[in-house]
Amino acid sequence: MKIYIYSLVLCVFFASCGKKDKIEREINAVPVTIKVERFDKIFFETAPEKLPEVKQQFPYFFPPGNDDQVWIEKMTDPQWRELYSEVQKKYNDLSPVTADLTALVKRMKYYFPETKTPKLITVISEMDYTNKTIYADSLVIVSLELYLGKDHRFYQFPNYIKANFEPKQIMPDVVNSFANSKIKPQNSKNFINKMVREGKKLYLKDILLPEYTDADKMGYTEEQLKWCQENESYMWRYFIEKELLYNDEPKLSSRFIDPAPFSKFYLEIDNESPGQVGAWIGWQIVRSYMNNNEIPVQQLLDMDARELFEKSKYKPKK
């Protein structure tokens, strides 16, 4: 009997490995060629008198209402030019970013066949860390000035924000933006819905960025990830005991979902915790559901959050 069970386990294991290998071969065979346009270089290396030519080539970067003098001053301003110089030192060769995006788009097209091959456009914007990358149908726009490394002298941001100003966060940020176009908004604004929505985004990183660590997918350090793993049961018990799951209090987002230096249990553990622990719990719920159900990814993304949670069989590790 033991031999039979052992043989059965081996068969399941090899069948699973064979399926994964087949998927990887199919993903690698997806034809993708990424075109790159260095708007940052074009803009800062263009003579001011030729600005109209740049505006004609990239009209979406020049909203109406701004006088040309605004752009000319930006082209010639010493601080902007110093920032441009720093970006070029870091990203003179964009081939690593292009290779990463090519691998990512192959997976996007495999799981979402309607996905168009986007053009990569690099920019230097206004240090808007809420929009570091934008995935817009056939374009991926990356603000390179926000990926110079967390310790760069130009960054005057809190540590929890600039911690993810690293090159390795470009692709996770692309997936975040991509996910917003794939996950339908739901009417309910309660806490479990918000957790599951964030969990769906992170699960997309599981399938689209399989080589990335869980810490990188969350934008955590390894220590922050370990804290969540070690305190998963405690956090879940807190959410249950405080009756937060179906609570629609808006402040729950800033306490447990949004980027923050720490989460707000209003307890002594707060300073030890990372921000966004609600998103991390939501990720574990979605993973639990997918471990027990085999459905297409888009069906998962469209699924009602409450139904997903109730069918997930989620049970935190002790």
Side-chain angles (χ1 to χ4, degrees):
M1 186 64 177
K2 289 183 179 179
I3 294 175
Y4 171 76
I5 294 173
Y6 180 69
S7 299
L8 182 61
V9 169
L10 279 180
C11 287
V12 171
F13 172 77
F14 285 118
S16 175
C17 290
K19 182 179 179 181
K20 288 180 180 178
D21 289 343
K22 180 176 181 292
I23 290 173
E24 289 303 314
R25 288 195 298 271
E26 291 175 353
I27 289 172
N28 290 330
V30 175
V32 171
T33 301
I34 300 292
K35 294 182 179 179
V36 180
E37 290 188 348
R38 296 295 304 265
F39 174 75
D40 52 322
K41 296 186 71 171
I42 293 170
F43 181 83
F44 284 102
E45 294 182 7
T46 294
E49 60 269 20
K50 294 187 177 181
L51 176 63
E53 297 176 18
V54 180
K55 292 176 66 175
Q56 186 175 8
Q57 185 179 355
F58 300 95
Y60 36 83
F61 289 139
F62 297 93
N66 287 328
D67 187 86
D68 282 0
Q69 189 60 34
V70 172
W71 307 113
I72 291 172
E73 288 177 2
K74 185 174 181 178
M75 283 176 161
T76 57
D77 180 89
Q79 288 185 322
W80 277 106
R81 297 204 65 82
E82 184 181 5
L83 177 58
Y84 168 66
S85 177
E86 290 297 297
V87 168
Q88 294 314 303
K89 288 178 187 176
K90 186 79 173 179
Y91 293 104
N92 183 52
D93 177 12
L94 206 66
S95 57
V97 177
T98 307
D100 288 345
L101 183 60
T102 300
L104 172 57
V105 173
K106 282 176 178 282
R107 290 186 175 275
M108 287 176 172
K109 292 172 79 71
Y110 176 82
Y111 289 104
F112 304 94
E114 74 283 1
T115 300
K116 299 176 182 177
T117 300
K119 181 187 297 182
L120 172 61
I121 302 181
T122 60
V123 302
I124 296 175
S125 58
E126 304 287 336
M127 293 260 185
D128 178 9
Y129 62 83
T130 63
N131 290 293
K132 293 156 67 184
T133 69
I134 297 174
Y135 184 99
D137 188 35
S138 58
L139 298 177
V140 171
I141 302 170
V142 178
S143 297
L144 292 178
E145 85 280 7
L146 289 167
Y147 298 100
L148 296 176
K150 64 182 179 181
D151 296 321
H152 196 280
R153 57 190 172 86
F154 282 172
Y155 295 148
Q156 303 296 317
F157 295 97
N159 287 336
Y160 78 93
I161 292 176
K162 66 182 182 179
N164 286 310
F165 289 4
E166 298 286 344
K168 67 181 179 181
Q169 278 301 309
I170 295 177
M171 293 308 128
D173 287 343
V174 172
V175 176
N176 272 340
S177 184
F178 177 77
N180 288 329
S181 68
K182 293 298 178 184
I183 303 174
K184 296 179 180 178
Q186 298 189 31
N187 293 328
S188 177
K189 302 297 182 183
N190 59 40
F191 188 42
I192 190 64
N193 277 58
K194 292 176 180 178
M195 285 199 294
V196 169
R197 179 178 175 81
E198 294 305 310
K200 289 177 179 179
K201 290 183 183 180
L202 287 159
Y203 186 78
L204 265 187
K205 294 180 185 180
D206 281 341
I207 63 172
L208 297 178
L209 299 171
E211 303 302 320
Y212 283 62
T213 67
D214 282 4
D216 287 339
K217 293 171 191 173
M218 274 296 302
Y220 277 177
T221 63
E222 290 295 337
E223 291 74 18
Q224 289 173 321
L225 180 68
K226 184 178 179 181
W227 190 95
C228 286
Q229 293 168 337
E230 292 178 347
N231 290 277
E232 181 178 359
S233 180
Y234 177 86
M235 290 189 289
W236 186 245
R237 186 168 67 250
Y238 177 92
F239 294 158
I240 297 296
E241 291 176 353
K242 297 295 182 181
E243 299 180 345
L244 299 184
L245 295 188
Y246 300 105
N247 189 318
D248 58 3
E249 169 57 55
K251 288 184 179 180
L252 289 173
S253 290
S254 61
R255 290 176 63 188
F256 300 113
I257 300 290
D258 301 337
F262 52 84
S263 294
K264 301 175 182 66
F265 296 90
Y266 303 135
L267 298 169
E268 291 183 2
I269 65 167
D270 283 6
N271 288 333
E272 301 172 9
S273 70
Q276 299 181 282
V277 297
W280 187 83
I281 290 286
W283 190 13
Q284 309 319 305
I285 291 171
V286 174
R287 280 176 162 177
S288 179
Y289 178 85
M290 290 304 283
N291 285 338
N292 293 290
N293 299 271
E294 191 169 336
I295 63 172
V297 178
Q298 187 61 63
Q299 187 177 333
L300 169 75
L301 301 183
D302 292 341
M303 192 173 181
D304 176 77
R306 182 166 183 165
E307 179 187 0
L308 187 155
F309 164 60
E310 291 174 351
K311 293 180 177 179
S312 68
K313 301 180 182 178
Y314 171 66
K315 187 176 182 181
K317 299 174 183 177
K318 295 183 178 180

